[in-house]
Amino acid sequence: MSAETLNTRVAIRAISPKGRRTRDADVKWGSPAVYLVALVLITICITPVLYVIIGGFRTNSQITLDPSGFPSPWQLGNYGDVLASSEFWTAMLNSTISAAGTTAGAVVLGVMASYVLARYEFAGRGVMYALFAAGLMFPVTVAITPLYILIRNLGLVNSLAGIILPQIAFALPTTIIILVPFLRAIPKELEEAASIDGASRLGFFWRMVVPLSLPGVITVGILAFVGAWNGYMLPLFILNDQSLFTLPLGVQNFASQYSVDTARVLAYTSLSMLPALVFFSMFERRIVGGLTGAVKG
């Protein structure tokens, strides 16, 4: 048998279903205890969400008689009443504007700051990077009082701009920590080649750096969007006008108005968290891929 014939048979056997079954059998799935712990954690996280969503399809009497039961029969009126209210759509619009503004600001400023920290040598670069890293451990609750005074002095109280600007500042540490490894991993030879071809530093930034770091940019954009969408503490202190309430404040306001109507409150809460869940689920792979690239970089 010639060597060529032997290699052909080996290749056919490797791509055959039998060969695939052999390779699949060799895959090690790990310890069952790990999967058991993961299943328990997933159940703990998903159960409250499912309870809120299913609770919106029940009546108050059903919740009173059996708080942990299923709807019997299923009621669509609670969700219909919430969707028909103008307060819900106003809060939805305000949350969208706030999250979109925060995402745009955090991405644009984060990419520019990360590019400087990753590609330029200057005194204090390490200190500046460490300062942004320390921002990850600085919660908004610690700075809420001086932040409110600053926003009041700027005349931004009771405006969406008053929550967008601070949210951008609090999103920058995460954005920079993720993007710096991406930008640092871009070969310097690529920048030198672009310079030889006549590209300026700004042209290299827009034509090469931004496209190459797009996975990281998408990741930080999604994280900034979800963080701004779920923000509660800052809007609570800054916004007083009900027409400017975001969805977290809308949920609180709705719950206070209809405190005895538990089923409708659950329906409002479900619809409020649904956009963030859908958005996060759609781009889950992007987030994981971006974080993986940041760790590799």
Side-chain angles (χ1 to χ4, degrees):
M1 183 183 298
S2 64
E4 183 178 355
T5 304
L6 180 61
N7 293 335
T8 303
R9 291 186 177 181
V10 171
I12 294 174
R13 187 177 299 175
I15 63 176
S16 65
K18 183 178 180 181
R20 282 198 297 267
R21 286 195 298 267
T22 302
R23 291 196 304 271
D24 292 340
D26 294 336
V27 176
K28 295 182 179 180
W29 292 98
S31 174
V34 176
Y35 290 93
L36 179 61
V37 173
L39 182 62
V40 172
L41 293 177
I42 292 173
T43 303
I44 294 175
C45 294
I46 292 181
T47 299
V49 178
L50 294 179
Y51 179 83
V52 173
I53 295 175
I54 295 175
F57 292 100
R58 307 174 69 192
T59 63
N60 292 318
S61 59
Q62 292 177 4
I63 296 176
T64 302
L65 294 175
D66 187 8
S68 60
F70 282 89
S72 180
W74 291 68
Q75 303 290 331
L76 301 178
N78 297 321
Y79 285 95
D81 294 340
V82 173
L83 292 174
S85 64
S86 59
E87 296 179 1
F88 173 78
W89 293 109
T90 300
M92 177 77 74
L93 178 61
N94 294 333
S95 290
T96 303
I97 295 174
S98 172
T102 301
T103 303
V107 169
V108 173
L109 296 178
V111 170
M112 292 189 293
S114 300
Y115 179 71
V116 174
L117 291 173
R119 311 292 298 185
Y120 290 90
E121 296 286 345
F122 58 91
R125 185 181 69 165
V127 176
M128 186 177 297
Y129 185 77
L131 184 63
F132 280 111
L136 296 174
M137 301 177 289
F138 193 76
V140 65
T141 53
V142 176
I144 191 64
T145 300
L147 187 60
Y148 174 79
I149 296 174
L150 177 61
I151 294 175
R152 185 188 61 185
N153 293 336
L154 293 175
L156 297 177
V157 174
N158 205 30
S159 67
L160 292 179
I163 63 174
I164 292 176
L165 294 178
Q167 285 177 161
I168 292 175
F170 281 99
L172 279 179
T174 303
T175 302
I176 292 175
I177 294 301
I178 293 177
L179 287 182
V180 165
F182 270 96
L183 304 182
R184 189 175 292 164
I186 298 176
K188 293 185 178 180
E189 291 79 7
L190 191 62
E191 185 175 0
E192 294 174 356
S195 178
I196 294 175
D197 291 338
S200 62
R201 288 184 175 180
L202 188 59
F204 173 75
F205 174 78
W206 288 112
R207 297 178 184 179
M208 300 298 296
V209 172
V210 174
L212 290 175
S213 60
L214 194 59
V217 171
I218 295 176
T219 298
V220 298
I222 295 171
L223 294 178
F225 183 90
V226 175
W229 186 275
N230 295 328
Y232 174 76
M233 181 66 67
L234 189 61
L236 179 64
F237 277 78
I238 303 301
L239 302 178
N240 300 319
D241 190 354
Q242 185 174 343
S243 62
L244 296 174
F245 280 1
T246 57
L247 276 175
L249 294 184
V251 171
Q252 181 200 32
N253 185 58
F254 190 86
S256 62
Q257 291 181 1
Y258 301 93
S259 57
V260 296
D261 196 347
T262 306
R264 189 179 297 184
V265 172
L266 293 176
Y268 193 104
T269 305
S270 301
L271 293 174
S272 299
M273 65 182 179
L274 188 61
L277 289 175
V278 173
F279 189 80
F280 197 87
S281 300
M282 290 175 56
F283 296 98
E284 178 185 0
R285 292 186 178 180
R286 293 281 189 176
I287 297 174
V288 175
L291 294 176
T292 304
V295 172
K296 289 183 179 179

